[in-house]
Amino acid sequence: MRYHNYDYGQFEQIDDLLHNVLDGSSEYAIIVTDLEDNIILWNKGAELIYGYTTIDMLGKQIPMDLLHKTEGLNSDIIFSNTNTFKSSICDYKMEAVKKDGSSIPVSVTVTPRINRNNETVGFLILSKDITKLKLEEQFRDVLIEITHLVNSSTEVTKMCESIVDVLSSFLDIPIVFICLFEPLNNTFSIVSQCGLCSGYDKHTCIYTVNESWIAHDKKACFLSYSQLKIHSENLSSHSIANFVCMKELNLEDISIIHVPLLSDIALIGLLHIVVPIHKKQFLLSESQILSLIANEIAAGVQRKRLEEENRQYSENLERMVIERTDELRKKDAQLVQSGKLATLGEMATGIAHEINQPLGAINLMAQGLLIAKRKNKCSNELLDTKLNSVVDQIDRISKIIAHLRTFARQSNNTKQELNVNNPIQDVFKLIGEQLKTRNIVVKLDLDSKLNHVLADHNKLEQVFLNIIGNARDALGDFEKKVIQMNTLDDCPKWLKDWEKSIYIKSYNQNDDVCVDITDNASGIDKQFINKIFEPFYTTKEVGKGTGLGLSISYGIIKDFDGTIEVDSESMKGSTFTIRLPSK
């Protein structure tokens, strides 16, 4: 180290602390000046930081543009002959202007030099290159911001666009772009970028494992994705340079760094960073910083893709469920319709009787009119009476046939407000005469102030018809047993007095509308009571039942958000209770 000979005596006044620093590392620039700002000491550290040699600087005034303030006091105050620093130390950050015109961030400490007479004789300036510290601080901020972005709700492309913007703005990097690997076409494509010109989307890189197939301008990319390591090259050597529109960039002094994006050990893409050479050297020496950023990006991309796959899977599953539900509804509708037709088939004899009765009455009235005519006793009054009766009977037949058509028609699955009493009463249009001819007493106890429900009239009628029809058949079967038991000497009195009956009651209960259908047949065995709503389960003889009636009824009531339950006791009959929510 050299010292200017004209002021060698002043050097002896430097305290022990300065000597310790001088004997230490050259990472600090140590500059000593007199009161006229003449440099009397310029160490090796100062040469490394500013680029000027000791010979260049000793004996000369410190250049005012050597230090540009970024934080702290104005630089022209620091080196003036004032009393500002006579008894204080000042720390602040500046931009150190190097001999080649470039600048680097430095931390500066200015200390006044005091002689034995307590007089200020000059200044001691300690300067340290804080490029690494500043970049580390910037990278910490970048990592925090990227972590926030990858945990946001945005999709992959928008997340990557935000990440390249953050990298460019926070780190002052002119060009950043991300390529993601597309396995379907075996290529890397740019999904987001900052600093490239239009047409960049035409740039692609084909994935290969054969180095001999790689063009020179994509060699470093190949090394990164094949070795899963960070590689760099001069920007002018890479084909992406064709899409760089920043004319102020000297491509020969700019490098591109390729960072693999890995999820576990699977390659999902590459992060490309275009930086000046001095930043490249730092980033490559501190490659763990780039690895941390790459890991965050890769984890975010992978998580977003999984979220997208899950969303698509959920949507597809939902669509499949809807389609399957529609299919099941169609099949249920077909099953309900089949149940109707089966019920009508079982009731064919009874329906024929319903129609034969008015036809027989018409026949008798027609024959009576013919006899009266032959005997010349067919008066206008008699003719009017008989013809009116015929019209009434024909109207009755028409109503039966019309109701049969309505009942047999395919339901359109629409719900509307209705009074449950109406479908109950319509059941007897189909089997009312059957019940009479079989001597079944029907007792109706229908609430005239019944709340309305949201349901389908036709389907509810089918439910009531199924249950009442089952009660009719059960009463017929039990009647045969009663007749046999009445021949016994110890037959109980209630059996002798027994008569077939069906009791139907409708009523409001809390927020529900309820219907009880009770018969006094033999009841349902406890071992079978939990099976009666299962499809194709029946206790009837072969050919007398399909086993679908109660199963269909259960499904219909469930579709209307209701319930159907049964309570049965041996030798005392059964009660079916239907509950539907009030509208």
Side-chain angles (χ1 to χ4, degrees):
M1 181 174 295
R2 298 182 182 181
Y3 308 101
H4 197 271
N5 55 15
Y6 92 95
D7 200 20
Y8 184 78
Q10 291 185 1
F11 173 70
E12 295 178 344
Q13 299 177 11
I14 299 174
D15 58 21
D16 293 339
L17 175 62
L18 179 57
H19 284 293
N20 291 334
V21 174
L22 288 172
D23 292 337
S25 171
S26 61
E27 64 176 317
Y28 282 94
I30 302 175
I31 306 169
V32 179
T33 70
D34 59 18
L35 286 177
E36 285 73 35
D37 294 340
N38 294 314
I39 298 173
I40 62 174
L41 187 147
W42 185 271
N43 78 335
K44 183 64 176 179
E47 291 184 0
L48 293 175
I49 290 178
Y50 296 101
Y52 295 96
T53 66
T54 304
I55 295 175
D56 293 334
M57 302 305 293
L58 284 181
K60 298 178 181 179
Q61 279 199 333
I62 189 166
M64 295 310 295
D65 61 348
L66 189 68
L67 299 170
H68 291 295
K69 178 195 73 75
T70 56
E71 296 178 18
L73 299 174
N74 293 327
S75 58
D76 59 340
I77 296 178
I78 295 173
F79 305 109
S80 296
N81 187 9
T82 67
N83 295 323
T84 306
F85 299 103
K86 286 187 176 180
S87 61
S88 64
I89 297 175
C90 182
D91 294 311
Y92 57 101
K93 294 179 181 178
M94 304 180 80
E95 287 290 325
V97 181
K98 305 183 72 168
K99 185 175 182 179
D100 62 6
S102 63
S103 63
I104 59 173
V106 292
S107 64
V108 178
T109 300
V110 180
T111 306
R113 294 190 299 115
I114 310 297
N115 64 12
R116 293 176 181 177
N117 297 323
N118 201 29
E119 297 173 341
T120 300
V121 296
F123 294 98
L124 170 65
I125 303 169
L126 299 181
S127 179
K128 181 180 180 181
D129 183 354
I130 58 170
T131 301
K132 181 178 178 180
L133 293 175
K134 190 172 182 180
L135 285 174
E136 287 177 348
E137 182 180 344
Q138 290 174 332
F139 273 104
R140 282 195 296 270
D141 294 339
V142 166
L143 275 173
I144 293 172
E145 191 67 21
I146 290 177
T147 301
H148 170 72
L149 290 173
V150 300
N151 289 308
S152 65
S153 59
T154 57
E155 49 92 20
V156 171
T157 301
K158 289 186 177 179
M159 179 195 75
C160 290
E161 289 175 353
S162 299
I163 287 173
V164 297
D165 287 340
V166 166
L167 288 171
S168 177
S169 59
F170 276 59
L171 303 180
D172 192 24
I173 296 174
I175 299 171
V176 184
F177 59 101
I178 295 175
C179 294
L180 294 184
F181 181 56
E182 299 175 0
L184 293 178
N185 52 23
N186 204 43
T187 61
F188 293 94
S189 298
I190 299 176
V191 295
S192 57
Q193 61 81 31
C194 181
L196 296 178
C197 297
S198 60
Y200 70 87
D201 51 343
K202 298 177 183 177
H203 173 82
T204 57
C205 182
I206 298 175
Y207 177 88
T208 179
V209 295
N210 191 335
E211 184 175 353
S212 64
W213 295 354
I214 298 296
H216 174 70
D217 63 358
K218 296 176 182 175
K219 185 67 176 290
C221 288
F222 168 77
L223 293 175
S224 287
Y225 70 67
S226 60
Q227 299 177 5
L228 304 182
K229 294 180 180 179
I230 298 173
H231 286 84
S232 67
E233 61 186 311
N234 191 277
L235 179 59
S236 61
S237 301
H238 197 281
S239 57
I240 199 65
N242 297 325
F243 304 99
V244 174
C245 50
M246 296 181 180
K247 296 181 179 180
E248 68 275 12
L249 291 180
N250 183 355
L251 299 186
E252 296 298 328
D253 295 332
I254 300 294
S255 296
I256 181 169
I257 303 174
H258 311 289
V259 187
L261 303 177
L262 303 174
S263 177
D264 296 329
I265 58 171
L267 178 73
I268 64 174
L270 292 167
L271 167 65
H272 308 272
I273 300 176
V274 176
V275 293
I277 290 177
H278 72 277
K279 280 191 178 179
K280 180 197 80 169
Q281 294 169 346
F282 167 76
L283 290 173
L284 293 182
S285 64
E286 303 291 334
S287 59
Q288 71 275 11
I289 295 177
L290 288 178
S291 297
L292 287 172
I293 291 175
N295 290 341
E296 283 294 324
I297 296 172
V301 170
Q302 192 71 352
R303 182 161 55 250
K304 300 292 183 184
R305 284 178 170 175
L306 288 174
E307 289 173 356
E308 179 65 17
E309 289 176 4
N310 288 336
R311 186 186 64 78
Q312 291 180 356
Y313 178 78
S314 298
E315 290 177 355
N316 291 336
L317 184 61
E318 185 177 355
R319 177 181 52 79
M320 291 169 61
V321 169
I322 291 173
E323 291 176 355
R324 184 58 179 160
T325 301
D326 289 341
E327 290 177 6
L328 291 174
R329 282 176 179 169
K330 291 177 182 178
K331 292 186 180 296
D332 285 345
Q334 292 172 357
L335 185 62
V336 170
Q337 188 66 12
S338 298
K340 284 184 184 179
L341 298 178
T343 301
L344 289 175
E346 294 174 14
M347 292 171 22
T349 303
I351 293 172
H353 181 78
E354 296 281 349
I355 295 175
N356 281 336
Q357 189 179 41
L359 286 176
I362 291 171
N363 185 43
L364 288 174
M365 285 183 284
Q367 290 180 10
L369 287 174
L370 288 173
I371 293 172
K373 182 181 178 183
R374 285 197 293 266
K375 295 181 177 181
N376 293 322
K377 294 183 178 180
C378 186
S379 64
N380 289 335
E381 184 180 354
L382 178 62
L383 186 61
D384 288 342
T385 301
K386 296 298 183 182
L387 288 176
N388 285 331
S389 297
V390 168
V391 170
D392 289 340
Q393 296 302 319
I394 292 173
D395 184 56
R396 180 180 171 188
I397 294 172
S398 297
K399 288 180 179 179
I400 293 172
I401 293 173
H403 193 69
L404 278 173
R405 288 176 177 171
T406 301
F407 180 77
R409 188 182 302 127
Q410 179 83 35
S411 176
N412 57 9
N413 292 322
T414 57
K415 299 177 183 179
Q416 58 184 0
E417 290 188 35
L418 56 86
N419 189 320
V420 170
N421 292 338
N422 295 330
I424 292 174
Q425 292 168 332
D426 282 346
V427 169
F428 299 101
K429 294 179 181 178
L430 297 178
I431 61 172
E433 288 300 321
Q434 291 182 44
L435 299 175
K436 289 180 182 179
T437 56
R438 297 190 186 191
N439 297 318
I440 298 175
V441 177
V442 177
K443 299 177 182 178
L444 295 177
D445 183 9
L446 306 181
D447 189 346
S448 60
K449 297 181 180 179
L450 204 62
N451 295 333
H452 283 193
V453 300
L454 194 63
D456 180 89
H457 180 107
N458 194 286
K459 286 187 175 182
L460 281 185
E461 183 180 347
Q462 183 176 0
V463 171
F464 298 135
L465 182 61
N466 287 334
I467 296 174
I468 295 171
N470 284 345
R472 173 202 62 200
D473 297 338
L475 288 168
D477 292 339
F478 188 54
E479 183 180 34
K480 297 175 184 177
K481 295 180 182 179
V482 170
I483 292 173
Q484 292 177 352
M485 295 174 69
N486 274 331
T487 61
L488 301 176
D489 294 335
D490 57 348
C491 178
K493 184 177 184 304
W494 72 267
L495 275 178
K496 293 181 179 180
D497 297 335
W498 179 84
E499 63 176 5
K500 296 179 286 185
S501 69
I502 297 175
Y503 174 61
I504 302 174
K505 179 182 180 181
S506 66
Y507 54 96
N508 296 314
Q509 187 177 74
N510 298 328
D511 294 328
D512 294 331
V513 172
C514 302
V515 177
D516 293 341
I517 302 175
T518 305
D519 65 65
N520 62 342
S522 59
I524 304 170
D525 197 309
K526 289 184 178 180
Q527 62 178 324
F528 300 128
I529 200 165
N530 293 326
K531 296 182 179 181
I532 61 172
F533 293 111
E534 294 178 3
F536 305 108
Y537 176 80
T538 181
T539 57
K540 297 180 181 178
E541 297 178 9
V542 177
K544 290 190 175 181
T546 63
L548 291 173
L550 288 178
S551 174
I552 291 172
S553 299
Y554 181 87
I556 291 172
I557 296 301
K558 187 177 180 182
D559 284 344
F560 298 149
D561 299 321
T563 61
I564 178 170
E565 300 172 350
V566 60
D567 181 31
S568 186
E569 188 174 351
S570 180
M571 303 301 287
K572 290 190 177 180
S574 304
T575 297
F576 284 82
T577 299
I578 297 167
R579 295 179 182 273
L580 295 168
S582 298
K583 176 59 181 176

